[in-house]
Amino acid sequence: MEKEKQKEEESPKELPSDVLYLIIEKFDIDDLFSFRKVCKHWKMTSDYWSDFMASDSPLIVQKTPNAERSCSFYSIPEARTFDTSLSCFNGFSFARFSSGYMIMVGDKPDLLLINPFARKRIEIPKQDDLFSVKNSSFKKAIVANSSSSSEEFIVVILNDHEFNESNMLVYQSRVRNPAIYSSRDNGDRFNVDDVVVFHKTIYAITRDAEIGVVMLEPQGLRFLNLMNNPENYGLLKLVNSNDDQLLVVNHLPYPRFEIYMIDFSARTWIKLRTLGDRSLFSVKCNPKCYALSNPARWGFRSNCFYRLSSCYPKCEVFSMDGQFIETISIPEYPVPTNTTSQLLNYDWCFRPRRDVVDYGNLIESLSH
């Protein structure tokens, strides 16, 4: 009886919460993930994990393109690197980070989507030559769950094709064969540069500054009739600001940029002079954008534009009027000796924000 009592007293659940906190704040991502599985008590008292996952502060992905395990996440405010040793990269190269997933490009299947925080894995089967994804041609992917069932999801992938044309693939978990939206379909030469989930609807923007809703039935884009489109535009990116506004970032010759808000009630573009208590985060060579509200809470400046280099360990900060503020240096993650690549890919990682779509918004009705 005394031995059983002693064993119970020494069990993991008897560790005080403050001691647990001191332990887990030193952990990497894999350690945090495994820690919660030890016992129910540890899962319930690991507030650090909950805070880590709930944080809106972006991390920076550091990934060697063709190395199997070389991956880390760097926090600018904490000046700390979180390592991970996920071993499911074999045969794939890292392309982008999007919607909480690492997008890995391979041969069969074409795409592997890995959520490093939830250990969730999605395989996108290889398509025909029209949508043969390569690392150099991959642009973006978004993953969204259905509002009616958390088990159903939609993956939208943008891919550049030959002759400077773009294709869009819509993969639904409920449908066996993905739909491919080609710029050559039916003579409708739309070249989609970006997609985003906003108000449970998937919006797309073309190279001609047209904004449309991605439709599943009938397949295609239903364009919005908007006024005051920008006269001069470069690369256009959509941003869900997470405060009930859909933004468009107009990337002009570096380092210039413009920010617009889409006013759906007035059906017009509105140029913004300030972001208020928000900041934007982009990647220089593939300037997709994210918005962060109340950035000072997470250690970032308000009303600024953070532009991360995709190949060099630095992040440049600009004011809304395009004035350079500072360069933030990022510690270089060591390149493993078992790879021929000496480069790292850098990308922004916002911890999983659960995008949700309503299938009803993606099906044409008689009212339109």
Side-chain angles (χ1 to χ4, degrees):
M1 180 69 70
E2 292 182 0
K3 290 184 177 181
E4 292 180 358
K5 183 177 180 180
Q6 182 180 2
K7 183 178 180 180
E8 182 178 347
E9 289 176 350
E10 293 176 353
S11 65
K13 70 178 182 179
E14 295 302 323
L15 286 174
S17 296
D18 56 345
V19 176
L20 288 176
Y21 184 85
L22 290 174
I23 294 173
I24 63 179
E25 68 177 356
K26 306 296 184 182
F27 283 174
D28 285 325
I29 293 175
D30 295 342
D31 300 322
L32 287 170
F33 191 82
S34 300
F35 176 84
R36 301 169 68 249
K37 296 183 177 181
V38 173
C39 67
K40 183 177 181 181
H41 177 69
W42 282 21
K43 180 177 181 179
M44 295 177 65
T45 57
S46 58
D47 294 334
Y48 187 88
W49 171 267
S50 300
D51 293 342
F52 178 81
M53 290 302 296
S55 174
D56 281 337
S57 178
L59 301 172
I60 295 175
V61 187
Q62 300 171 300
K63 178 76 178 76
T64 302
N66 58 353
E68 183 176 348
R69 294 192 176 197
S70 177
C71 181
S72 70
F73 298 86
Y74 181 74
S75 169
I76 289 178
E78 298 176 72
R80 177 183 174 185
T81 298
F82 297 89
D83 289 321
T84 180
S85 58
L86 290 172
S87 58
C88 45
F89 300 151
N90 192 26
F92 293 88
S93 59
F94 175 70
R96 300 281 185 273
F97 195 98
S98 183
S99 298
Y101 287 84
M102 298 184 68
I103 314 298
M104 312 295 294
V105 177
D107 295 325
K108 185 180 181 180
D110 257 358
L111 290 178
L112 176 64
L113 284 64
I114 302 172
N115 184 322
F117 307 105
R119 297 302 195 261
K120 186 175 180 180
R121 174 187 178 114
I122 299 175
E123 293 185 3
I124 306 298
K126 188 175 179 63
Q127 305 304 310
D128 58 28
D129 291 337
L130 182 63
F131 206 95
S132 180
V133 180
K134 298 179 180 179
N135 199 312
S136 59
S137 63
F138 179 86
K139 293 171 66 174
K140 186 177 181 180
I142 58 173
V143 184
N145 290 99
S146 168
S147 57
S148 59
S149 171
S150 60
E151 299 300 319
E152 292 185 352
F153 60 88
I154 292 178
V155 180
V156 181
I157 304 163
L158 296 182
N159 182 55
D160 274 338
H161 195 55
E162 59 185 2
F163 308 120
N164 200 31
E165 295 180 346
S166 63
N167 298 323
M168 180 171 64
L169 179 143
V170 179
Y171 178 83
Q172 303 176 60
S173 59
R174 62 164 69 175
V175 179
R176 175 170 297 183
N177 296 319
I180 298 176
Y181 299 63
S182 170
S183 60
R184 293 176 288 175
D185 288 346
N186 303 319
D188 186 10
R189 301 184 64 84
F190 59 82
N191 279 288
V192 176
D193 262 344
D194 200 15
V195 287
V196 74
V197 178
F198 179 71
H199 283 182
K200 299 183 179 182
T201 302
I202 302 174
Y203 288 90
I205 189 166
T206 71
R207 295 177 188 173
D208 297 322
E210 291 186 280
I211 297 178
V213 176
V214 176
M215 305 303 299
L216 302 178
E217 297 180 17
Q219 178 180 319
L221 296 178
R222 174 167 55 81
F223 289 103
L224 308 179
N225 184 19
L226 301 174
M227 300 179 293
N228 297 325
N229 295 36
E231 295 182 359
N232 300 311
Y233 52 86
L235 188 58
L236 300 168
K237 295 294 178 179
L238 296 171
V239 182
N240 183 345
S241 65
N242 295 304
D243 56 4
D244 211 35
Q245 288 186 349
L246 179 63
L247 305 180
V248 181
V249 180
N250 181 17
H251 292 273
L252 297 168
Y254 178 79
R256 296 170 52 221
F257 59 89
E258 297 173 338
I259 313 295
Y260 293 85
M261 180 193 74
I262 303 302
D263 187 329
F264 287 90
S265 59
R267 306 184 73 83
T268 187
W269 295 56
I270 298 178
K271 189 174 182 179
L272 300 182
R273 302 297 179 184
T274 177
L275 288 169
D277 194 18
R278 289 177 296 195
S279 285
L280 295 180
F281 296 76
S282 78
V283 182
K284 185 176 178 181
C285 293
N286 181 46
K288 63 179 182 181
C289 285
Y290 305 92
L292 179 64
S293 300
N294 192 14
R297 177 185 176 187
W298 309 108
F300 295 91
R301 299 171 183 262
S302 294
N303 198 35
C304 285
F305 198 97
Y306 287 79
R307 181 170 278 163
L308 179 69
S309 171
S310 63
C311 299
Y312 299 98
K314 67 176 183 178
C315 175
E316 297 175 323
V317 186
F318 296 87
S319 65
M320 271 295 290
D321 59 2
Q323 297 299 310
F324 173 78
I325 297 177
E326 64 173 329
T327 296
I328 301 173
S329 297
I330 304 165
E332 290 193 68
Y333 189 69
V335 177
T337 57
N338 62 343
T339 175
T340 57
S341 174
Q342 296 301 311
L343 294 176
L344 286 169
N345 283 355
Y346 296 89
D347 204 349
W348 291 110
C349 160
F350 281 79
R351 272 154 278 195
R353 295 179 175 181
R354 188 169 177 266
D355 286 329
V356 177
V357 295
D358 185 342
Y359 276 92
N361 295 344
L362 309 179
I363 298 175
E364 197 78 63
S365 66
L366 295 177
S367 61
H368 290 301

